[in-house]
Amino acid sequence: MTYRTIRTSILLIALATWPLLASAGFTLKQMSPETKACVACHKLESAALYEQWGSSKHFRANVGCYECHMADKNEPDAYEHQGQIISTIVSPKDCARCHEHEVQEFNSSHHAKAARILGSLDNVLAEVVEGNRGMKTAAFPHGVSAAAVNGCWQCHGSEVKLLENKRPDPVTWPNTGIGRINPDGTEGSCTACHGRHEFSAAQARTPDTCGKCHMGPDHPQIEIYNESKHGIAYHANVDKMNLNNEKWIVGEDYSAAPTCATCHMSATKTQPVTHDVGMRISWNNRPEISVRPEISDAKLGLPGKDVTWQKRREGMTDVCINCHNKNFVESFYVQYDSLIDLYHNKFAKPGLSLYEAAGPLLRPAKFSNKIDFTWYEIWHHEGRRARHGASMMGPDYTHWHGTYEVAKHFYSEYIPELQDLVDHNSNSTDPAKKAAAEKLSKKLDEVLSNSDHSWYNNKLDPAEQALRDQQRKEFQQRYSK
Amino acid sequence: MTYRTIRTSILLIALATWPLLASAGFTLKQMSPETKACVACHKLESAALYEQWGSSKHFRANVGCYECHMADKNEPDAYEHQGQIISTIVSPKDCARCHEHEVQEFNSSHHAKAARILGSLDNVLAEVVEGNRGMKTAAFPHGVSAAAVNGCWQCHGSEVKLLENKRPDPVTWPNTGIGRINPDGTEGSCTACHGRHEFSAAQARTPDTCGKCHMGPDHPQIEIYNESKHGIAYHANVDKMNLNNEKWIVGEDYSAAPTCATCHMSATKTQPVTHDVGMRISWNNRPEISVRPEISDAKLGLPGKDVTWQKRREGMTDVCINCHNKNFVESFYVQYDSLIDLYHNKFAKPGLSLYEAAGPLLRPAKFSNKIDFTWYEIWHHEGRRARHGASMMGPDYTHWHGTYEVAKHFYSEYIPELQDLVDHNSNSTDPAKKAAAEKLSKKLDEVLSNSDHSWYNNKLDPAEQALRDQQRKEFQQRYSK
Amino acid sequence: MTYRTIRTSILLIALATWPLLASAGFTLKQMSPETKACVACHKLESAALYEQWGSSKHFRANVGCYECHMADKNEPDAYEHQGQIISTIVSPKDCARCHEHEVQEFNSSHHAKAARILGSLDNVLAEVVEGNRGMKTAAFPHGVSAAAVNGCWQCHGSEVKLLENKRPDPVTWPNTGIGRINPDGTEGSCTACHGRHEFSAAQARTPDTCGKCHMGPDHPQIEIYNESKHGIAYHANVDKMNLNNEKWIVGEDYSAAPTCATCHMSATKTQPVTHDVGMRISWNNRPEISVRPEISDAKLGLPGKDVTWQKRREGMTDVCINCHNKNFVESFYVQYDSLIDLYHNKFAKPGLSLYEAAGPLLRPAKFSNKIDFTWYEIWHHEGRRARHGASMMGPDYTHWHGTYEVAKHFYSEYIPELQDLVDHNSNSTDPAKKAAAEKLSKKLDEVLSNSDHSWYNNKLDPAEQALRDQQRKEFQQRYSK
């Protein structure tokens, strides 16, 4: 019996007994000889990595390097390394050998599908507008955009391609994007949140983990959280958060503050933890016009298509209720929904129809017109900030980073740019342009004469003016009290 | 004797003996039967809220749900809940039953008056420019702007209106804005800083608490603090800050770093803690042109009108002196005051007079001209960032987020936009416009020929040019050393 | 023997025995009588300062006020204070009395030369564009810009000037800029990172320390770090970072996360700690077009001119390898370098040559043209953010704050502004302008017909179009799975 045969036999036995071990709490009786072999070198070569693993639960359960990185030689990314068949990437399928339930939940989530944007509109930005095909590697002979590689794909996930030696191509690796498309066909990357090589639940419960991707001009969730009372309470009470506890039920194991996980994923007394992050949200604020989450789940063919927003809102309310009474929560939702309505009715819907009307007057390549960026930022950046700000009670993001910017750009950039298009084309010799200019002009008049916008042409409704004059008087009285 | 009569009697006794209890340190001998009744349900229904209270000083003093939420049935927002008369909102008047002194100080502060902006200019933004009347509720049949509700009011405070059932209308609740106008007529919200339901002084001493509202493009105090040496020292030494100590005197109870509270509110060896946050500032940097705090206090009829800025600066110096010597502090103020002078003389005063001169040439509705936003952001956003940045020694906020942005927009947007107004109106057939264009043109020439701005037309004073040439030579020598 | 003579004798003895003491570990046998005299007053006057020192290693080594602030009466900034000759500023030369090695390393770094920008382009911004000569003091009778004093100099360092009484002039003090030019001719300020008066190594190891200056729109290193997995792991594990340990070797003394210091300065098992922060970087991303660090070291006459970027990258790799395998690190560098290439080839090089071609058509004073700011921000703000973002794996800074903004401003501002210059000057009666307009127009055509930019005029190469159509199809298939 060669060493190799012994190793294979051990592996087969290990795999055969896996279900048994798993049901015994994912622990192995002792460290495998393969892992011992890995450790012998790597504790010297990658000392900090070894220590991280040494402080993980995996270590205590004798789940080591080999248990996660082992591969069947027929797997596409399997290669021999120091006599063992392993793969670089540990995919959700690998994690599911022990964490089946979590992976299943994750697979039902938008998170798992995050790399499917490859080829979408935002992708045109990173590939064509910002990028070129200058990054050429073995797996990408036509080249790919370094802006996509270093930007988009690091959060959304790359579609991993392999080199001849079965190592991942540098275009697609390093990558821990949450929707990574792995060589084994699975989607996702557990280490996006459970950072290597401690894989700590505690860290995944900290808001910063989510902030890796949920930050910045177009989705500043972490900034909003940090502004909110939730974030303030968290930072002031992080020592009381019991983040390392196995069981982490709000109102039982901690009470001082909620993190992102608390509200969107973690257990309450009546709800189990879930790895499908969309299950408690009642709006998907990604598109120009917010949609209910069951609609966007249906688009991706996810099982969430059958879970109504009302049902999800009940789930979230069940979290809120640990610190707030029902009346408070219901009133909060009245406020939040109203902000969505305002954004939709005053800006998103008319803005979108104006943009469509402007289409025939624009240079054909998307983003080769200034107004393409103007409209894009109104909905994709500023409009989202307002909606996300309201959803998590961060008033400065709702207003100063949100509706203020939306309104500023709507009136001081978008409307004048549209008017310019009308002016430059209303006498066009091209009858199609002339007609489009007329149509756009009519649409503009229609929008600006609506009561939401009539102030702009100084045509406030007299009843409204009277109401406002009265408020102003009240203000002056208050101020001079 | 019915249960209700018993309860009322207990309440009357409690209220009668209150001053006695208060002077004994705000403690009650035992938990009241009313609070026990509240807890019986709420410890199940709102477990985390119950735990927060359980870790508060209120708990140890037997100050429970009822002691704060109890109401007289004649109070406007009193309602019966499970046999007890309570109100949802605990106003400063309620808190003052024990914390009279703190509430009194708070009442003298700008904080308490923060909701008086309702009806002001910024309010026009949120209500008319960004908003509409789409949010209609029982108490607001004419509708109100969701941008104001979710934005402005969450920091400034709402004017709470009640539903028929005496619960607050969702337009005005949830709301913890610091100047909230309560149903009992009081102004303020103690929970703005002392977060429910632990009401912790420690949390109120953390900078994040202030950052709830003092953040963002127009008043980034928390960002500046975090950049400053004060913030760096705080984050590195938070464990040594002794934040939970009852007595919290800088130089006695902690020495590692100051928080916002340390400088603006908390005790020194010679000054008591104060809840009037304006008592140690020597500039109010809110308006276009900064004013001394006694002036802005006088406008609001606050007692601070009699406290000069010099007196307040002495108060602040008394804090600084714990870590810095007097010469350092005085020199700091020379630097800070110089930045204010620069901003005033070079940008704010000429900018304001140019804006006034442009008035007759603008579309009548405020914020329907691009230039309205240009000028507004120069003073309200960027000019404030520069001033606040200098006040707290955050150099990137002073410069890159501050004076750099002010100058960039002054020269690359504001001046050209004003010049455009001149160009478009100097041959106007409307004699009023023609005259206004001439006046604005003259004003523009006057500003641009001033030595602060003559560089713009490449007309640097020869003496100045000689000085600069010499500096440049020195730079080149230094650089090539 | 007078007291004064005794004091002087003690000082002479102390100085004479200094080398001995230093080699004995920098400790003095007992507190000096001079320091005792300082402390007698200052523990009352500056209690927190006294406590900070009391918790420092200096205290345990009997290194007190006098040991650092003592001065020879012939030193330019020496003055008598309560019978002792001292100086306000403790310069690197003073620190080098004990910490010679660290100061020597620091002196070889860019950090030490940071004040040499005085007189440079950015300085024109702060002095002329943003500033005036309104801040006049004894040492600056011609006046100086408060924007430079409160902004630039607080990070870069001031050139300290003295008053007649030998105290520093308020224009130049307070100042802890890292390249401060001190009265004794030395460059640098150790307290820039080792904050007074604890001088803690632990604090200097926290990322916030670096964030004092490395933040904001033009060099957001701290923001990028906080977004990155490195920052997330740090914030989640700060308790395990062993920051106060004397020895601080990654993989031995801590393993949970790296801070800025870990990667750029601190020890590994095979590399010693260094105070020359540039020794492990392989790109200097400051200029329009990134250069190798040995080139920029040569410009400043620094010894680093002889250390190639490859050598430095090996040094950094030696850090990375503690947590990542070699393939990971090499692939990361492929990604990072590709982003630099993309930025260079698509935007920086053509952008720069277009700006040069536009020169003769611009108003002569730099920054009196809008386009001066447009181009400046493309490279100095946004282009740096993209490069820094990629260097530290912060995808939102690389993309949304970086390449997205670069591309947006390149196509929606810069190109149209250049086209406007062509249009306004192509029929100029000034033959020089006419010729320059023709040249610029030709250059513009050349750039826009390059395959990197041909999309803008809707002239995508057919082969490229075919590739993109295929990707789009793949996207739609994926999306509808």
Side-chain angles (χ1 to χ4, degrees):
Chain A
M1 236 177 161
T2 63
Y3 171 74
R4 192 163 173 136
T5 328
I6 297 173
R7 208 180 40 70
T8 311
S9 308
I10 292 172
L11 171 60
L12 289 174
I13 294 166
L15 284 175
T17 56
W18 202 273
L20 192 69
L21 292 163
S23 66
F26 307 149
T27 62
L28 297 169
K29 281 210 163 167
Q30 55 182 45
M31 202 165 292
S32 66
E34 291 88 351
T35 287
K36 280 181 185 163
C38 305
V39 163
C41 286
H42 281 285
K43 78 192 272 185
L44 299 174
E45 258 184 28
S46 325
L49 188 162
Y50 169 74
E51 286 299 330
Q52 288 160 16
W53 169 67
S55 65
S56 75
K57 287 184 193 146
H58 281 174
F59 176 83
R60 293 282 287 178
N62 289 313
V63 175
C65 320
Y66 186 72
E67 281 62 50
C68 299
H69 284 279
M70 67 176 167
D72 183 273
K73 68 175 179 198
N74 295 321
E75 288 185 68
D77 57 345
Y79 56 88
E80 191 185 310
H81 173 66
Q82 304 290 337
Q84 299 186 172
I85 307 291
I86 60 166
S87 65
T88 300
I89 288 182
V90 177
S91 80
K93 191 173 158 195
D94 298 319
C95 299
R97 291 201 292 259
C98 293
H99 305 282
E100 190 185 349
H101 184 62
E102 286 77 6
V103 170
Q104 208 167 22
E105 287 172 344
F106 171 79
N107 280 339
S108 302
S109 75
H110 270 251
H111 267 167
K113 313 301 169 197
R116 293 194 182 176
I117 63 142
L118 275 62
S120 77
L121 176 67
D122 284 8
N123 216 49
V124 169
L125 269 174
E127 294 191 2
V128 178
V129 181
E130 304 163 35
N132 62 19
R133 290 202 177 268
M135 187 179 189
K136 289 184 180 169
T137 58
F140 292 84
H142 295 302
V144 68
S145 164
V149 169
N150 287 274
C152 323
W153 298 4
Q154 296 299 328
C155 282
H156 284 273
S158 57
E159 185 177 355
V160 179
K161 304 279 188 194
L162 300 168
L163 300 172
E164 262 187 47
N165 67 4
K166 304 303 177 72
R167 267 73 167 183
D169 184 277
V171 155
T172 61
W173 181 261
N175 190 286
T176 58
I178 202 158
R180 195 180 59 209
I181 301 172
N182 301 302
D184 64 7
T186 58
E187 292 172 312
S189 161
C190 302
T191 195
C193 305
H194 298 280
R196 292 190 292 253
H197 273 97
E198 196 179 339
F199 314 104
S200 149
Q203 186 197 295
R205 289 163 180 165
T206 68
D208 295 316
T209 293
C210 312
K212 166 80 191 303
C213 297
H214 293 275
M215 61 87 68
D218 61 328
H219 37 40
Q221 284 101 337
I222 186 67
E223 292 95 332
I224 294 164
Y225 172 81
N226 283 335
E227 181 194 3
S228 78
K229 294 221 143 203
H230 292 163
I232 295 165
Y234 170 73
H235 289 294
N237 294 295
V238 65
D239 292 344
K240 301 187 198 161
M241 291 296 293
N242 207 4
L243 288 162
N244 280 297
N245 215 50
E246 298 292 327
K247 176 167 79 72
W248 202 60
I249 296 177
V250 64
E252 277 186 27
D253 302 304
Y254 66 106
S255 305
T259 72
C260 311
T262 301
C263 299
H264 293 284
M265 302 179 73
S266 302
T268 69
K269 288 180 185 174
T270 53
Q271 274 184 106
V273 61
T274 175
H275 279 70
D276 180 352
V277 287
M279 276 299 122
R280 299 176 193 165
I281 59 168
S282 36
W283 285 109
N284 176 330
N285 291 321
R286 206 204 58 76
E288 287 100 324
I289 295 171
S290 300
V291 294
R292 296 302 186 177
E294 60 269 35
I295 307 296
S296 58
D297 277 4
K299 264 196 180 172
L300 287 167
L302 294 173
K305 71 183 180 357
D306 300 323
V307 186
T308 64
W309 67 268
Q310 292 93 337
K311 181 87 191 146
R312 300 178 197 229
R313 188 168 282 189
E314 273 171 37
M316 183 65 88
T317 300
D318 170 65
V319 185
C320 307
I321 219 72
N322 279 279
C323 298
H324 305 284
N325 68 40
K326 195 126 199 212
N327 182 46
F328 182 102
V329 181
E330 283 169 1
S331 292
F332 156 72
Y333 274 120
V334 173
Q335 295 185 357
Y336 172 33
D337 290 348
S338 293
L339 193 284
I340 302 285
D341 283 349
L342 167 61
Y343 163 76
H344 280 176
N345 295 331
K346 182 159 179 169
F347 299 108
K349 288 176 190 171
L352 196 54
S353 72
L354 284 165
Y355 189 59
E356 286 163 1
L361 304 174
L362 298 179
R363 295 161 53 91
K366 178 95 180 170
F367 292 115
S368 71
N369 305 276
K370 188 175 191 313
I371 202 170
D372 294 326
F373 285 101
T374 307
W375 170 241
Y376 182 64
E377 295 203 352
I378 285 175
W379 74 264
H380 185 269
H381 285 43
E382 303 148 8
R384 279 199 198 154
R385 294 197 297 251
R387 288 175 279 168
H388 290 145
S391 76
M392 295 194 290
M393 301 187 96
D396 281 274
Y397 276 89
T398 309
H399 185 262
W400 289 116
H401 288 288
T403 52
Y404 170 76
E405 295 283 332
V406 168
K408 179 178 88 166
H409 290 128
F410 192 87
Y411 294 116
S412 79
E413 303 280 349
Y414 195 52
I415 296 292
E417 286 166 8
L418 290 164
Q419 191 58 57
D420 270 5
L421 284 173
V422 171
D423 295 348
H424 279 82
N425 290 285
S426 56
N427 292 316
S428 174
T429 52
D430 177 344
K433 294 222 160 172
K434 199 172 146 74
E438 267 164 36
K439 207 173 141 193
L440 175 59
S441 176
K442 217 175 129 188
K443 184 83 210 159
L444 254 178
D445 287 346
E446 190 188 311
V447 167
L448 293 176
S449 59
N450 178 291
S451 68
D452 278 358
H453 301 285
S454 53
W455 73 270
Y456 180 75
N457 285 323
N458 208 30
K459 289 178 182 159
L460 218 52
D461 182 68
E464 173 66 20
Q465 190 60 57
L467 269 171
R468 294 205 56 74
D469 289 345
Q470 190 197 323
Q471 282 178 337
R472 189 147 196 99
K473 214 182 293 170
E474 282 168 19
F475 158 67
Q476 276 155 349
Q477 277 171 346
R478 254 199 308 270
Y479 216 82
S480 57
K481 253 207 292 208
Chain B
M1 238 175 159
T2 64
Y3 170 73
R4 194 166 170 134
T5 328
I6 297 172
R7 208 181 39 71
T8 310
S9 309
I10 292 171
L11 170 59
L12 289 173
I13 294 165
L15 283 175
T17 56
W18 201 274
L20 192 69
L21 291 163
S23 66
F26 307 151
T27 61
L28 297 169
K29 283 212 163 166
Q30 56 181 45
M31 203 166 290
S32 67
E34 291 87 352
T35 288
K36 280 182 185 162
C38 304
V39 164
C41 286
H42 281 284
K43 78 192 274 183
L44 300 174
E45 259 184 28
S46 326
L49 188 162
Y50 168 75
E51 286 300 331
Q52 289 160 14
W53 169 68
S55 65
S56 75
K57 288 184 192 144
H58 280 174
F59 177 82
R60 290 283 286 179
N62 288 312
V63 175
C65 321
Y66 185 72
E67 283 62 50
C68 297
H69 284 279
M70 68 176 165
D72 183 273
K73 68 177 177 197
N74 296 320
E75 289 185 68
D77 58 345
Y79 57 87
E80 194 184 308
H81 173 67
Q82 304 289 338
Q84 300 186 171
I85 307 291
I86 61 166
S87 65
T88 299
I89 288 182
V90 177
S91 80
K93 192 174 159 194
D94 298 319
C95 299
R97 289 202 294 259
C98 293
H99 305 281
E100 190 185 351
H101 184 62
E102 287 76 6
V103 170
Q104 209 167 21
E105 287 172 343
F106 172 79
N107 281 339
S108 301
S109 75
H110 270 251
H111 267 167
K113 313 301 169 196
R116 292 193 183 176
I117 63 143
L118 275 62
S120 77
L121 176 66
D122 283 8
N123 216 48
V124 169
L125 269 175
E127 294 190 1
V128 178
V129 181
E130 303 163 34
N132 61 18
R133 292 201 177 269
M135 187 180 188
K136 290 183 182 171
T137 58
F140 292 83
H142 295 302
V144 68
S145 164
V149 169
N150 287 275
C152 323
W153 299 4
Q154 296 299 327
C155 281
H156 284 273
S158 58
E159 184 177 356
V160 179
K161 305 279 188 195
L162 300 168
L163 300 171
E164 261 186 50
N165 66 4
K166 304 304 177 70
R167 267 74 166 180
D169 185 276
V171 156
T172 61
W173 181 260
N175 190 286
T176 59
I178 202 160
R180 194 182 59 210
I181 302 173
N182 301 302
D184 63 9
T186 58
E187 291 172 312
S189 161
C190 301
T191 195
C193 305
H194 298 280
R196 293 190 291 252
H197 272 98
E198 194 178 342
F199 313 105
S200 148
Q203 186 196 297
R205 289 163 180 165
T206 68
D208 295 317
T209 294
C210 311
K212 165 78 192 301
C213 297
H214 293 274
M215 63 85 69
D218 62 328
H219 37 41
Q221 283 101 338
I222 185 68
E223 291 94 334
I224 295 165
Y225 172 81
N226 283 336
E227 181 194 3
S228 77
K229 294 222 144 200
H230 293 162
I232 295 164
Y234 169 73
H235 290 293
N237 294 293
V238 66
D239 292 344
K240 301 186 197 163
M241 290 297 293
N242 207 4
L243 288 161
N244 280 297
N245 215 49
E246 298 292 327
K247 176 167 79 73
W248 203 60
I249 297 178
V250 62
E252 278 186 25
D253 302 304
Y254 67 105
S255 303
T259 72
C260 312
T262 300
C263 299
H264 293 284
M265 303 181 72
S266 302
T268 69
K269 286 178 184 177
T270 54
Q271 274 185 106
V273 61
T274 174
H275 279 69
D276 180 352
V277 287
M279 276 299 124
R280 299 175 193 167
I281 60 167
S282 36
W283 285 110
N284 176 328
N285 291 321
R286 204 203 58 74
E288 286 101 325
I289 295 172
S290 299
V291 295
R292 296 301 185 177
E294 60 269 34
I295 307 296
S296 59
D297 277 3
K299 264 196 181 170
L300 287 167
L302 295 173
K305 72 184 182 351
D306 299 323
V307 187
T308 64
W309 67 267
Q310 291 95 337
K311 183 88 192 144
R312 298 178 198 229
R313 188 169 282 189
E314 274 171 35
M316 185 63 89
T317 300
D318 171 65
V319 185
C320 307
I321 220 72
N322 280 280
C323 297
H324 305 285
N325 69 40
K326 195 126 199 211
N327 182 47
F328 182 102
V329 181
E330 283 169 2
S331 292
F332 156 72
Y333 274 120
V334 174
Q335 295 185 356
Y336 172 32
D337 290 349
S338 293
L339 193 285
I340 302 284
D341 282 351
L342 167 61
Y343 163 76
H344 280 177
N345 296 330
K346 181 157 180 169
F347 299 107
K349 288 176 189 172
L352 195 54
S353 73
L354 284 164
Y355 189 59
E356 285 163 0
L361 305 174
L362 298 179
R363 295 162 52 91
K366 178 94 180 170
F367 292 114
S368 72
N369 305 276
K370 188 175 191 312
I371 202 170
D372 295 326
F373 285 101
T374 307
W375 171 241
Y376 181 65
E377 294 202 352
I378 286 176
W379 74 264
H380 186 270
H381 285 42
E382 301 149 9
R384 281 200 197 153
R385 294 198 296 250
R387 289 176 279 169
H388 290 146
S391 76
M392 295 194 289
M393 302 187 93
D396 281 274
Y397 277 88
T398 309
H399 184 263
W400 289 116
H401 288 289
T403 52
Y404 169 77
E405 294 283 333
V406 168
K408 179 178 88 166
H409 290 127
F410 193 87
Y411 293 116
S412 79
E413 302 281 348
Y414 195 50
I415 296 292
E417 287 166 8
L418 290 164
Q419 192 58 56
D420 271 3
L421 284 173
V422 171
D423 295 348
H424 280 83
N425 290 284
S426 56
N427 292 317
S428 173
T429 52
D430 176 343
K433 293 223 160 170
K434 196 172 148 75
E438 268 164 36
K439 208 174 140 192
L440 175 59
S441 177
K442 219 176 125 187
K443 184 82 210 157
L444 254 178
D445 287 347
E446 191 188 311
V447 167
L448 292 177
S449 57
N450 179 290
S451 68
D452 278 359
H453 302 286
S454 53
W455 74 270
Y456 181 75
N457 285 324
N458 207 31
K459 290 180 179 158
L460 217 53
D461 182 66
E464 173 66 21
Q465 189 61 57
L467 270 171
R468 294 205 56 73
D469 288 346
Q470 190 196 324
Q471 283 178 338
R472 189 147 197 100
K473 214 182 295 168
E474 283 169 19
F475 157 69
Q476 277 155 347
Q477 278 170 346
R478 253 198 310 269
Y479 215 83
S480 56
K481 255 205 290 208
Chain C
M1 239 178 158
T2 63
Y3 170 73
R4 195 168 170 134
T5 329
I6 299 173
R7 209 180 38 72
T8 311
S9 311
I10 293 172
L11 170 58
L12 290 174
I13 296 164
L15 284 176
T17 55
W18 201 273
L20 192 69
L21 293 162
S23 65
F26 308 150
T27 61
L28 297 170
K29 281 213 160 163
Q30 54 180 45
M31 203 166 289
S32 67
E34 291 88 350
T35 288
K36 280 182 185 162
C38 304
V39 164
C41 286
H42 280 285
K43 77 192 273 184
L44 300 174
E45 259 183 28
S46 324
L49 188 162
Y50 169 75
E51 286 298 331
Q52 288 160 14
W53 169 66
S55 65
S56 76
K57 286 182 193 147
H58 281 175
F59 176 83
R60 291 282 287 180
N62 289 313
V63 175
C65 321
Y66 186 71
E67 283 63 48
C68 298
H69 284 279
M70 69 175 165
D72 183 272
K73 70 177 175 197
N74 295 321
E75 289 185 66
D77 59 344
Y79 56 87
E80 193 186 309
H81 173 66
Q82 304 288 339
Q84 301 186 170
I85 307 292
I86 61 164
S87 65
T88 299
I89 288 183
V90 176
S91 80
K93 193 174 158 194
D94 299 320
C95 298
R97 290 201 295 259
C98 293
H99 305 283
E100 191 186 347
H101 183 63
E102 285 78 4
V103 170
Q104 210 168 19
E105 287 172 342
F106 172 78
N107 281 340
S108 302
S109 75
H110 269 251
H111 267 167
K113 313 302 168 196
R116 293 193 181 176
I117 62 142
L118 275 62
S120 77
L121 176 67
D122 283 9
N123 216 48
V124 169
L125 269 175
E127 293 191 2
V128 177
V129 181
E130 302 163 35
N132 62 18
R133 292 203 176 268
M135 187 179 188
K136 291 184 181 170
T137 58
F140 292 84
H142 296 301
V144 68
S145 164
V149 169
N150 287 275
C152 323
W153 300 4
Q154 296 299 327
C155 282
H156 284 274
S158 58
E159 184 177 355
V160 179
K161 305 279 188 196
L162 300 168
L163 299 172
E164 261 186 50
N165 66 6
K166 306 303 178 69
R167 267 73 167 181
D169 185 276
V171 156
T172 60
W173 181 260
N175 190 287
T176 59
I178 202 159
R180 194 181 60 210
I181 302 172
N182 301 301
D184 64 8
T186 58
E187 292 172 312
S189 163
C190 301
T191 195
C193 304
H194 298 281
R196 293 189 291 255
H197 273 97
E198 196 179 339
F199 313 104
S200 149
Q203 187 196 297
R205 290 163 180 164
T206 67
D208 295 316
T209 293
C210 311
K212 166 78 191 304
C213 297
H214 293 274
M215 62 86 68
D218 61 330
H219 37 40
Q221 283 100 338
I222 186 68
E223 291 94 333
I224 294 164
Y225 172 81
N226 283 335
E227 181 194 4
S228 77
K229 293 221 144 200
H230 292 162
I232 294 164
Y234 169 73
H235 289 293
N237 294 295
V238 66
D239 291 345
K240 300 186 198 163
M241 289 297 293
N242 207 4
L243 288 163
N244 279 296
N245 216 50
E246 299 292 326
K247 177 165 80 70
W248 203 60
I249 296 177
V250 64
E252 277 186 27
D253 302 303
Y254 67 105
S255 304
T259 72
C260 311
T262 301
C263 300
H264 293 283
M265 304 180 72
S266 301
T268 69
K269 286 179 184 175
T270 54
Q271 274 184 106
V273 61
T274 175
H275 279 70
D276 180 352
V277 287
M279 277 298 123
R280 298 176 193 165
I281 60 168
S282 35
W283 285 109
N284 176 329
N285 292 321
R286 205 205 57 76
E288 287 100 325
I289 295 171
S290 299
V291 295
R292 295 302 186 178
E294 60 269 35
I295 307 295
S296 59
D297 277 4
K299 264 196 181 172
L300 287 166
L302 295 173
K305 70 184 180 357
D306 300 322
V307 187
T308 63
W309 67 267
Q310 291 95 336
K311 182 88 192 145
R312 300 178 197 229
R313 189 169 281 189
E314 274 171 36
M316 184 64 89
T317 300
D318 171 64
V319 185
C320 307
I321 219 73
N322 280 280
C323 297
H324 305 284
N325 69 40
K326 195 125 199 212
N327 182 46
F328 182 101
V329 181
E330 283 170 1
S331 292
F332 156 72
Y333 275 120
V334 173
Q335 295 186 357
Y336 173 31
D337 291 347
S338 293
L339 193 283
I340 301 285
D341 283 349
L342 166 62
Y343 163 76
H344 280 176
N345 295 331
K346 181 158 180 170
F347 300 107
K349 288 175 188 172
L352 196 54
S353 71
L354 285 165
Y355 190 59
E356 284 162 2
L361 305 174
L362 298 178
R363 295 162 53 92
K366 178 95 179 172
F367 292 116
S368 71
N369 306 276
K370 190 176 190 313
I371 202 171
D372 294 327
F373 285 102
T374 307
W375 170 242
Y376 181 65
E377 296 202 351
I378 285 175
W379 74 263
H380 185 270
H381 284 43
E382 301 147 9
R384 280 200 198 153
R385 294 197 299 250
R387 289 175 279 168
H388 291 146
S391 76
M392 296 193 290
M393 302 187 93
D396 281 274
Y397 276 88
T398 308
H399 185 263
W400 289 115
H401 288 288
T403 52
Y404 170 77
E405 294 283 332
V406 168
K408 179 179 88 166
H409 290 127
F410 192 86
Y411 293 114
S412 79
E413 303 280 349
Y414 195 51
I415 296 293
E417 287 166 10
L418 290 164
Q419 192 57 57
D420 270 3
L421 283 173
V422 171
D423 295 346
H424 279 82
N425 290 283
S426 56
N427 292 317
S428 173
T429 52
D430 177 344
K433 294 223 161 173
K434 199 173 146 74
E438 268 164 34
K439 207 174 142 192
L440 176 60
S441 177
K442 219 176 126 189
K443 184 84 211 158
L444 255 177
D445 286 347
E446 190 189 312
V447 167
L448 292 176
S449 58
N450 178 292
S451 69
D452 279 358
H453 302 286
S454 54
W455 74 270
Y456 181 74
N457 286 323
N458 208 30
K459 290 177 180 159
L460 219 51
D461 182 69
E464 172 67 20
Q465 189 61 57
L467 269 171
R468 295 206 56 73
D469 288 345
Q470 190 196 325
Q471 283 178 337
R472 189 146 198 99
K473 214 182 294 169
E474 280 168 20
F475 158 69
Q476 276 155 347
Q477 277 170 345
R478 253 199 309 272
Y479 215 83
S480 57
K481 254 206 291 208

